[in-house]
Amino acid sequence: MRKKVTILFLMISITGCMNKKEKLVEKIYALGYPENEIVVSLEDFFEGNNDQESIAPHIFDAERTSPQIFYRKLSELKNLEQVDDVFVRIQDVEDSDWPFTDTVYIISKLSVEELLSKLTDLRPDEIYEEWMYGQPINAPEVKDGFSIFSVWWD
């Protein structure tokens, strides 16, 4: 009996993740990927995502950061008063188990130095002001007093 319950739970868990991925991929294509540069919310990108290669895949050491740690740290940042929003750029949807990103965009009043200090644990390769790949088609307007920052992992 216990084995059947475990198998059933595992099947439900896997199906739930697959549905989240399918919904995300459908949304990405509906926004015009790959012809358009697009972003998705933190929730869309990270909920159900257990693919270690979906963000910062070139960090190979034993302290590899899981997608859920990225999600927690970026959500904490998003909740700061000086941060308006955080979005995930979609780079690829076909070459891994989950859509892939190399860049997170942060709309914030914080400086590059302040962002770097808050994101040190995530080990970004670069943080700079402006849209790294041009403004995504579905990006919101940046409010007065805020700037857009690109956080990039090689």
Side-chain angles (χ1 to χ4, degrees):
M1 177 71 170
R2 186 177 209 172
K3 195 177 216 178
K4 288 181 182 179
V5 171
T6 302
I7 292 170
L8 180 61
F9 176 75
L10 182 60
M11 289 174 62
I12 291 169
S13 296
I14 291 170
T15 305
C17 289
M18 291 302 290
N19 286 336
K20 287 182 180 184
K21 179 188 176 187
E22 289 169 6
K23 288 177 185 177
L24 176 58
V25 170
E26 185 177 299
K27 179 178 188 173
I28 290 166
Y29 280 112
L31 289 166
Y33 175 87
E35 292 80 19
N36 296 319
E37 188 68 28
I38 62 158
V39 291
V40 296
S41 70
L42 289 178
E43 296 78 15
D44 283 347
F45 187 79
F46 287 107
E47 289 181 5
N49 179 358
N50 294 310
D51 182 2
Q52 294 282 3
E53 302 294 314
S54 66
I55 187 167
H58 294 108
I59 300 174
F60 293 113
D61 60 27
E63 296 181 24
R64 176 111 177 99
T65 307
S66 78
Q68 295 312 305
I69 292 173
F70 271 90
Y71 186 26
R72 181 176 46 83
K73 294 289 282 184
L74 292 169
S75 294
E76 289 170 1
L77 183 69
K78 182 179 174 178
N79 289 328
L80 295 176
E81 185 177 317
Q82 306 95 327
V83 175
D84 184 48
D85 216 335
V86 179
F87 297 96
V88 179
R89 173 188 184 252
I90 298 300
Q91 182 178 358
D92 190 14
V93 298
E94 298 174 9
D95 292 333
S96 64
D97 292 337
W98 194 268
F100 169 76
T101 187
D102 63 351
T103 307
V104 171
Y105 295 118
I106 301 170
I107 300 174
S108 177
K109 292 181 179 181
L110 297 171
S111 68
V112 169
E113 294 78 18
E114 290 169 316
L115 285 171
L116 185 56
S117 73
K118 293 186 181 307
L119 297 173
T120 299
D121 293 350
L122 299 182
R123 300 184 280 172
D125 290 294
E126 192 173 330
I127 299 176
Y128 72 91
E129 195 169 343
E130 292 301 321
W131 300 104
M132 179 173 248
Y133 296 96
Q135 184 171 352
I137 194 166
N138 63 324
E141 291 297 318
V142 177
K143 297 175 185 174
D144 287 341
F146 288 84
S147 298
I148 184 71
F149 295 91
S150 298
V151 181
W152 178 74
W153 291 266
D154 183 17

